[in-house]
Amino acid sequence: MARLVQPLGIFTQSHYWRILRCHNAKRALTVGAKFSTVTALAGTPKSRDEGTTTVKLSSKARRKAFYESPEGVLLRKLNECSKDGDVVQALCHYDEARKLGVLLNLDHYNKLLYLCSVENADVPHLGLRRGFEIFQQMLIDRVQPNEATFTNAARLAAAKEDPDMAFELLKQMKNVAIPPKLRSYEPALFGFCKRGDAEKAYLVDADMIESGIVAEEPELSALLEVSVNTKKEDKVYEILHRLRATVRQVSESTLRIVQDWFNSEYAATIGKEKWDVNKVREGILRGGGGWHGQGWLGRGRWKMVETQVKEDGVCLSCGEKLVSIDIDPKETEIFAASLSKLACQKEAKENFVHFQKWLERHGPFDAVVDGANVGLSNGHNFSFSRLNTVVEQLRQISPSKRLPLIILHISRVNGGPAQNPKNRRLIENWKKNGALYATPQGSNDDWYWLYAAVSCKCLLLTDDEMRDHLFQLLGSSFFPRWKEKHQVRASTSSSRGSLIMPPCYSIVIQESANGSWHVPTVTSDDPEIPRKWLCATRSRNKSLHNIWTSSSRSDCT
């Protein structure tokens, strides 16, 4: 077998990228001409250029020309192979295309590299061997790579158990001004963690932070595991807090790593026997409660119990009361402004601005209801009776005894069950009290009820889990905290139903002032199924945390 050329070798040429850009510009003109013009010969030309006319094709004609071209046929075949995960057939198509002189572009190469980077038990080494060969050929062909190219090449390096090469590819990507994504870091990060090389894993993590990339649970879990295994107590502490800040509740696999730390003999020897109580208290105040950030407190073996937390926030194992972590009002204002900006981009701006002005005139409200979600909660038929039940329940618990704001699409206000006389009277009553807003045709109700609840700083009644693309746009920092404190759900366990209010404590990793930890796990979407918590404590005398929280305004009343 021919020796593989090191794929990074070509990157070391200082003039490579200047040549590549110029070559690509010429190549683009050549390819573009192939699919965007046709040459018509009028009669018998007297010279090479005489009688030749160039006719520009429409976009539709260009797409059709590419579709029917050898390049287009190859791309369709590779797409099918990608769907089926068939690297063998994809490589056959590639070899045949090269024999025929088909001009491969970035899409072709990225499909091939992706397929080669995916592990295939039937041909375990084929993709790895051919993947580097194809990557080298792509560079020889002067096809400029993008983020997907580098990421797939890094995955090949990781499959070769060479995270150093994967990290070097990441650096090269940044050197040519291609912004990395979270997935770009995973091959190097997971590779170093798997190898047990904590220091290099931390270098990848630092580079990720420098690039503004936020690690998610898989990355943090890998970093936590390598830190536990290499006895890096400061890093274990740091990563637990990063999990607290970004993930909040952990999966079972991450929980097992947390348990490995607290179970270890080494963890029993780590911690301050004496600490500054005032600094701990200041840390709790500064962070809004639920953590202090002053390091491991106490010494001795940890006692771990998988337990539950009562409705009032009291741990059933240690008896400690968990806190409700404050949200900075400025954060809420910033979030409302960003929500408004996003909504105006996604919705017809004049419609949403009209709603904002309406809300200024009729608000604020003590609660907002996602009318469609509640009305459809018991099946496919919309129920105004069901909606009215929860509306009245919210009015009863409202400090002002005012009706909540009901958001409904205009089609539900005017058609279907709304035409029933009894339902019509309900609708007219809500309108008369300024408690109903009908969103216009073509709009997405979600933007309206979410903005209303955030801007009014009030409760939001919906059983929507708020996980689709719209809510992903809102990020993973502030929104989950806001949702936890404001979302009310409608229980269907009784005939009339009941309201499930937000918990009076924060369902997030909590570090107590006495050094104990409570770690919640991810549970099902059903709020009535108990959540499992890990309670980790050390033997202690008087609990400063109990003294501190007894006077905290976050206590449940």
PDB file of all heavy atoms in Angstrom, residues 161-180:
ATOM      1  N   GLU A 161      -6.842   7.999  15.937  1.00  0.00           N
ATOM      2  CA  GLU A 161      -6.345   8.175  17.306  1.00  0.00           C
ATOM      3  C   GLU A 161      -5.182   9.154  17.334  1.00  0.00           C
ATOM      4  O   GLU A 161      -4.162   8.933  18.004  1.00  0.00           O
ATOM      5  CB  GLU A 161      -5.952   6.825  17.921  1.00  0.00           C
ATOM      6  CG  GLU A 161      -7.148   5.898  18.075  1.00  0.00           C
ATOM      7  CD  GLU A 161      -6.809   4.611  18.809  1.00  0.00           C
ATOM      8  OE1 GLU A 161      -5.614   4.369  19.052  1.00  0.00           O
ATOM      9  OE2 GLU A 161      -7.748   3.865  19.148  1.00  0.00           O
ATOM     10  N   ASP A 162      -5.369  10.256  16.592  1.00  0.00           N
ATOM     11  CA  ASP A 162      -4.359  11.316  16.539  1.00  0.00           C
ATOM     12  C   ASP A 162      -5.030  12.658  16.829  1.00  0.00           C
ATOM     13  O   ASP A 162      -5.237  13.473  15.929  1.00  0.00           O
ATOM     14  CB  ASP A 162      -3.693  11.332  15.162  1.00  0.00           C
ATOM     15  CG  ASP A 162      -2.444  12.218  15.122  1.00  0.00           C
ATOM     16  OD1 ASP A 162      -2.240  12.976  16.094  1.00  0.00           O
ATOM     17  OD2 ASP A 162      -1.697  12.137  14.140  1.00  0.00           O
ATOM     18  N   PRO A 163      -5.399  12.912  18.108  1.00  0.00           N
ATOM     19  CA  PRO A 163      -6.045  14.191  18.437  1.00  0.00           C
ATOM     20  C   PRO A 163      -5.146  15.392  18.205  1.00  0.00           C
ATOM     21  O   PRO A 163      -5.637  16.509  17.995  1.00  0.00           O
ATOM     22  CB  PRO A 163      -6.410  14.028  19.915  1.00  0.00           C
ATOM     23  CG  PRO A 163      -5.513  12.962  20.434  1.00  0.00           C
ATOM     24  CD  PRO A 163      -5.261  12.042  19.291  1.00  0.00           C
ATOM     25  N   ASP A 164      -3.817  15.182  18.208  1.00  0.00           N
ATOM     26  CA  ASP A 164      -2.903  16.294  17.925  1.00  0.00           C
ATOM     27  C   ASP A 164      -3.112  16.806  16.506  1.00  0.00           C
ATOM     28  O   ASP A 164      -3.138  18.017  16.264  1.00  0.00           O
ATOM     29  CB  ASP A 164      -1.446  15.841  18.110  1.00  0.00           C
ATOM     30  CG  ASP A 164      -1.121  15.558  19.568  1.00  0.00           C
ATOM     31  OD1 ASP A 164      -0.948  16.530  20.324  1.00  0.00           O
ATOM     32  OD2 ASP A 164      -1.067  14.374  19.941  1.00  0.00           O
ATOM     33  N   MET A 165      -3.272  15.874  15.560  1.00  0.00           N
ATOM     34  CA  MET A 165      -3.543  16.279  14.185  1.00  0.00           C
ATOM     35  C   MET A 165      -4.898  16.978  14.092  1.00  0.00           C
ATOM     36  O   MET A 165      -5.045  17.986  13.380  1.00  0.00           O
ATOM     37  CB  MET A 165      -3.519  15.079  13.240  1.00  0.00           C
ATOM     38  CG  MET A 165      -3.754  15.447  11.774  1.00  0.00           C
ATOM     39  SD  MET A 165      -4.025  14.006  10.711  1.00  0.00           S
ATOM     40  CE  MET A 165      -2.388  13.281  10.714  1.00  0.00           C
ATOM     41  N   ALA A 166      -5.881  16.457  14.829  1.00  0.00           N
ATOM     42  CA  ALA A 166      -7.210  17.080  14.819  1.00  0.00           C
ATOM     43  C   ALA A 166      -7.138  18.512  15.330  1.00  0.00           C
ATOM     44  O   ALA A 166      -7.777  19.415  14.777  1.00  0.00           O
ATOM     45  CB  ALA A 166      -8.172  16.257  15.673  1.00  0.00           C
ATOM     46  N   PHE A 167      -6.361  18.737  16.375  1.00  0.00           N
ATOM     47  CA  PHE A 167      -6.204  20.085  16.939  1.00  0.00           C
ATOM     48  C   PHE A 167      -5.445  20.980  15.973  1.00  0.00           C
ATOM     49  O   PHE A 167      -5.766  22.172  15.813  1.00  0.00           O
ATOM     50  CB  PHE A 167      -5.480  19.996  18.280  1.00  0.00           C
ATOM     51  CG  PHE A 167      -5.581  21.240  19.118  1.00  0.00           C
ATOM     52  CD1 PHE A 167      -6.585  22.187  18.916  1.00  0.00           C
ATOM     53  CD2 PHE A 167      -4.663  21.480  20.139  1.00  0.00           C
ATOM     54  CE1 PHE A 167      -6.678  23.327  19.701  1.00  0.00           C
ATOM     55  CE2 PHE A 167      -4.743  22.617  20.929  1.00  0.00           C
ATOM     56  CZ  PHE A 167      -5.754  23.538  20.708  1.00  0.00           C
ATOM     57  N   GLU A 168      -4.446  20.426  15.299  1.00  0.00           N
ATOM     58  CA  GLU A 168      -3.688  21.215  14.322  1.00  0.00           C
ATOM     59  C   GLU A 168      -4.583  21.640  13.156  1.00  0.00           C
ATOM     60  O   GLU A 168      -4.491  22.774  12.660  1.00  0.00           O
ATOM     61  CB  GLU A 168      -2.503  20.401  13.807  1.00  0.00           C
ATOM     62  CG  GLU A 168      -1.570  21.169  12.885  1.00  0.00           C
ATOM     63  CD  GLU A 168      -0.949  22.391  13.542  1.00  0.00           C
ATOM     64  OE1 GLU A 168      -0.711  22.375  14.766  1.00  0.00           O
ATOM     65  OE2 GLU A 168      -0.709  23.390  12.817  1.00  0.00           O
ATOM     66  N   LEU A 169      -5.455  20.747  12.721  1.00  0.00           N
ATOM     67  CA  LEU A 169      -6.400  21.106  11.659  1.00  0.00           C
ATOM     68  C   LEU A 169      -7.321  22.241  12.103  1.00  0.00           C
ATOM     69  O   LEU A 169      -7.644  23.138  11.321  1.00  0.00           O
ATOM     70  CB  LEU A 169      -7.224  19.875  11.268  1.00  0.00           C
ATOM     71  CG  LEU A 169      -6.526  18.867  10.355  1.00  0.00           C
ATOM     72  CD1 LEU A 169      -7.204  17.512  10.426  1.00  0.00           C
ATOM     73  CD2 LEU A 169      -6.501  19.378   8.918  1.00  0.00           C
ATOM     74  N   LEU A 170      -7.725  22.200  13.346  1.00  0.00           N
ATOM     75  CA  LEU A 170      -8.561  23.275  13.891  1.00  0.00           C
ATOM     76  C   LEU A 170      -7.826  24.605  13.848  1.00  0.00           C
ATOM     77  O   LEU A 170      -8.393  25.641  13.470  1.00  0.00           O
ATOM     78  CB  LEU A 170      -8.956  22.929  15.326  1.00  0.00           C
ATOM     79  CG  LEU A 170      -9.763  23.977  16.090  1.00  0.00           C
ATOM     80  CD1 LEU A 170     -11.185  24.053  15.548  1.00  0.00           C
ATOM     81  CD2 LEU A 170      -9.791  23.669  17.564  1.00  0.00           C
ATOM     82  N   LYS A 171      -6.560  24.592  14.228  1.00  0.00           N
ATOM     83  CA  LYS A 171      -5.757  25.825  14.208  1.00  0.00           C
ATOM     84  C   LYS A 171      -5.601  26.350  12.785  1.00  0.00           C
ATOM     85  O   LYS A 171      -5.669  27.560  12.545  1.00  0.00           O
ATOM     86  CB  LYS A 171      -4.381  25.572  14.826  1.00  0.00           C
ATOM     87  CG  LYS A 171      -4.417  25.272  16.320  1.00  0.00           C
ATOM     88  CD  LYS A 171      -3.021  24.896  16.812  1.00  0.00           C
ATOM     89  CE  LYS A 171      -3.037  24.507  18.280  1.00  0.00           C
ATOM     90  NZ  LYS A 171      -1.697  24.053  18.732  1.00  0.00           N
ATOM     91  N   GLN A 172      -5.391  25.418  11.837  1.00  0.00           N
ATOM     92  CA  GLN A 172      -5.249  25.835  10.440  1.00  0.00           C
ATOM     93  C   GLN A 172      -6.545  26.467   9.934  1.00  0.00           C
ATOM     94  O   GLN A 172      -6.522  27.428   9.174  1.00  0.00           O
ATOM     95  CB  GLN A 172      -4.876  24.623   9.569  1.00  0.00           C
ATOM     96  CG  GLN A 172      -3.503  24.045   9.844  1.00  0.00           C
ATOM     97  CD  GLN A 172      -2.373  24.984   9.468  1.00  0.00           C
ATOM     98  OE1 GLN A 172      -2.584  25.977   8.776  1.00  0.00           O
ATOM     99  NE2 GLN A 172      -1.171  24.677   9.932  1.00  0.00           N
ATOM    100  N   MET A 173      -7.659  25.922  10.345  1.00  0.00           N
ATOM    101  CA  MET A 173      -8.950  26.486   9.955  1.00  0.00           C
ATOM    102  C   MET A 173      -9.077  27.931  10.445  1.00  0.00           C
ATOM    103  O   MET A 173      -9.502  28.820   9.714  1.00  0.00           O
ATOM    104  CB  MET A 173     -10.076  25.632  10.521  1.00  0.00           C
ATOM    105  CG  MET A 173     -11.463  26.177  10.274  1.00  0.00           C
ATOM    106  SD  MET A 173     -12.786  24.998  10.637  1.00  0.00           S
ATOM    107  CE  MET A 173     -12.498  24.650  12.336  1.00  0.00           C
ATOM    108  N   LYS A 174      -8.678  28.160  11.693  1.00  0.00           N
ATOM    109  CA  LYS A 174      -8.745  29.518  12.243  1.00  0.00           C
ATOM    110  C   LYS A 174      -7.747  30.443  11.553  1.00  0.00           C
ATOM    111  O   LYS A 174      -8.020  31.629  11.358  1.00  0.00           O
ATOM    112  CB  LYS A 174      -8.480  29.478  13.741  1.00  0.00           C
ATOM    113  CG  LYS A 174      -9.588  28.791  14.544  1.00  0.00           C
ATOM    114  CD  LYS A 174      -9.242  28.691  16.009  1.00  0.00           C
ATOM    115  CE  LYS A 174      -9.255  30.038  16.687  1.00  0.00           C
ATOM    116  NZ  LYS A 174      -8.961  29.943  18.127  1.00  0.00           N
ATOM    117  N   ASN A 175      -6.590  29.888  11.170  1.00  0.00           N
ATOM    118  CA  ASN A 175      -5.564  30.698  10.511  1.00  0.00           C
ATOM    119  C   ASN A 175      -6.017  31.248   9.168  1.00  0.00           C
ATOM    120  O   ASN A 175      -5.517  32.276   8.709  1.00  0.00           O
ATOM    121  CB  ASN A 175      -4.286  29.869  10.305  1.00  0.00           C
ATOM    122  CG  ASN A 175      -3.533  29.656  11.602  1.00  0.00           C
ATOM    123  OD1 ASN A 175      -3.756  30.363  12.588  1.00  0.00           O
ATOM    124  ND2 ASN A 175      -2.622  28.672  11.618  1.00  0.00           N
ATOM    125  N   VAL A 176      -6.945  30.537   8.511  1.00  0.00           N
ATOM    126  CA  VAL A 176      -7.450  31.012   7.215  1.00  0.00           C
ATOM    127  C   VAL A 176      -8.828  31.659   7.371  1.00  0.00           C
ATOM    128  O   VAL A 176      -9.612  31.724   6.427  1.00  0.00           O
ATOM    129  CB  VAL A 176      -7.485  29.872   6.171  1.00  0.00           C
ATOM    130  CG1 VAL A 176      -6.079  29.426   5.845  1.00  0.00           C
ATOM    131  CG2 VAL A 176      -8.324  28.699   6.656  1.00  0.00           C
ATOM    132  N   ALA A 177      -9.109  32.125   8.598  1.00  0.00           N
ATOM    133  CA  ALA A 177     -10.302  32.938   8.889  1.00  0.00           C
ATOM    134  C   ALA A 177     -11.608  32.192   8.658  1.00  0.00           C
ATOM    135  O   ALA A 177     -12.610  32.786   8.248  1.00  0.00           O
ATOM    136  CB  ALA A 177     -10.279  34.232   8.072  1.00  0.00           C
ATOM    137  N   ILE A 178     -11.616  30.885   8.920  1.00  0.00           N
ATOM    138  CA  ILE A 178     -12.857  30.107   8.882  1.00  0.00           C
ATOM    139  C   ILE A 178     -13.297  29.918  10.331  1.00  0.00           C
ATOM    140  O   ILE A 178     -12.603  29.263  11.110  1.00  0.00           O
ATOM    141  CB  ILE A 178     -12.664  28.744   8.200  1.00  0.00           C
ATOM    142  CG1 ILE A 178     -12.250  28.938   6.739  1.00  0.00           C
ATOM    143  CG2 ILE A 178     -13.948  27.926   8.278  1.00  0.00           C
ATOM    144  CD1 ILE A 178     -11.920  27.638   6.019  1.00  0.00           C
ATOM    145  N   PRO A 179     -14.435  30.507  10.741  1.00  0.00           N
ATOM    146  CA  PRO A 179     -14.867  30.401  12.139  1.00  0.00           C
ATOM    147  C   PRO A 179     -15.223  28.955  12.491  1.00  0.00           C
ATOM    148  O   PRO A 179     -15.995  28.315  11.786  1.00  0.00           O
ATOM    149  CB  PRO A 179     -16.108  31.299  12.211  1.00  0.00           C
ATOM    150  CG  PRO A 179     -16.062  32.145  10.979  1.00  0.00           C
ATOM    151  CD  PRO A 179     -15.349  31.334   9.945  1.00  0.00           C
ATOM    152  N   PRO A 180     -14.659  28.428  13.582  1.00  0.00           N
ATOM    153  CA  PRO A 180     -15.000  27.061  13.989  1.00  0.00           C
ATOM    154  C   PRO A 180     -16.359  27.006  14.660  1.00  0.00           C
ATOM    155  O   PRO A 180     -16.869  28.012  15.145  1.00  0.00           O
ATOM    156  CB  PRO A 180     -13.893  26.707  14.987  1.00  0.00           C
ATOM    157  CG  PRO A 180     -13.468  28.024  15.557  1.00  0.00           C
ATOM    158  CD  PRO A 180     -13.659  29.049  14.468  1.00  0.00           C
TER     159      PRO A 180
END
